[in-house]
Amino acid sequence: GFLCSISFKIDFFMLSKLTNDAVTGWYSAGARLIEAILIIPATVAIIFFPVISRLYKNSMDLFINMCRTFSIACVILSIPVALFLYLGADLLVSFIFGAGFIKSVLVVKLLSFTLILFFLKYFLEKTALVMQRQIILLIAYLGGIVLKVVLNFIFIPLFSYNGAALSTLVTEFFIVAYILLHIKMRLPLLKAEFLQKGLAAKLPLFYEETRKP
């Protein structure tokens, strides 16, 4: 979403201030390639959103199982994409951007690992929205922005544009871990609440049955 796109924009801005235009351009090329691929997990997450919404309302057990299954599937599906990008970074950068951007290859390789996190994060976002836990996403992204700025101040002077890629990897790990942890903590409570609502709905029927002669 909007906060997600800010992450790369922070990198572009800080690189332009801490380095020069050439360095910013090398990083920008690699980041743009990653952003183009992110259309895939974003689209898949949108497609599955109505499915998990219905399960959340009708069957908490199926909802929890679907969350676990699809989370694992996101990781499994993202690994080949990340490997393809990592192993083919040289050819992709040369073909798309030209030989002048050969220094973007390492950026692409570093950012390819974030694809696994991005694939999982897009699904976790939709899960949190279904559970009406928007506050989790807000805290995760705002915390991620602060972490990104701090890490960029540390890594960019040390590793230049590759430092920005490294800070992105660490920041995305933090965001995914935060959202995943809070969802896992919340699911057992939701299941208990779901069972309580079901029991409460059946109590009037049980009362009527007991009053019958």
Side-chain angles (χ1 to χ4, degrees):
F2 173 72
L3 288 174
C4 181
S5 66
I6 288 179
S7 178
F8 282 128
K9 288 181 173 57
I10 290 173
D11 292 337
F12 301 154
F13 177 77
M14 294 188 70
L15 280 168
S16 69
K17 298 300 180 182
L18 298 175
T19 59
N20 54 57
D21 290 342
V23 171
T24 305
W26 296 330
Y27 180 81
S28 177
R32 301 292 183 201
L33 189 56
I34 298 295
E35 285 184 308
I37 296 174
L38 293 181
I39 295 174
I40 299 172
T43 303
V44 173
I46 291 172
I47 292 172
F48 271 84
F49 183 70
V51 177
I52 60 176
S53 295
R54 287 194 296 270
L55 291 177
Y56 180 78
K57 295 177 182 178
N58 300 322
S59 174
M60 189 56 59
D61 285 329
L62 288 177
F63 172 75
I64 293 173
N65 288 335
M66 174 61 78
C67 288
R68 289 171 179 166
T69 301
F70 197 69
S71 295
I72 295 171
C74 284
V75 174
I76 293 174
L77 292 173
S78 65
I79 291 175
V81 179
L83 283 175
F84 170 78
L85 196 61
Y86 182 86
L87 297 175
D90 296 83
L91 291 175
L92 288 170
V93 169
S94 297
F95 178 75
I96 298 173
F97 301 108
F101 285 86
I102 196 65
K103 290 190 176 182
S104 299
V105 170
L106 187 53
V107 174
V108 174
K109 288 186 175 183
L110 287 171
L111 292 179
S112 66
F113 293 106
T114 65
L115 286 177
I116 299 172
L117 298 170
F118 276 119
F119 268 69
L120 182 57
K121 184 178 72 173
Y122 280 119
F123 177 70
L124 293 177
E125 282 179 357
K126 300 303 180 186
T127 304
L129 290 174
V130 168
M131 295 167 61
Q132 298 180 344
R133 303 300 293 172
Q134 292 89 338
I135 188 65
I136 293 176
L137 300 179
L138 182 61
I139 294 173
Y141 278 116
L142 291 179
I145 289 172
V146 173
L147 180 62
K148 165 63 74 74
V149 172
V150 172
L151 291 178
N152 273 347
F153 272 121
I154 297 172
F155 290 155
I156 290 177
L158 292 174
F159 309 113
S160 188
Y161 56 98
N162 292 322
L166 183 58
S167 73
T168 298
L169 181 60
V170 175
T171 300
E172 290 304 318
F173 181 82
F174 162 78
I175 293 172
V176 169
Y178 184 88
I179 298 173
L180 181 60
L181 177 63
H182 281 76
I183 288 177
K184 290 185 69 174
M185 291 172 59
R186 181 67 179 162
L187 284 177
L189 298 175
L190 286 173
K191 187 173 181 179
E193 291 173 5
F194 187 84
L195 292 174
Q196 288 173 1
K197 289 179 181 178
L199 181 60
K202 292 177 181 179
L203 281 177
L205 296 175
F206 177 76
Y207 177 73
E208 291 296 327
E209 289 293 328
T210 56
R211 286 179 58 85
K212 290 181 180 179

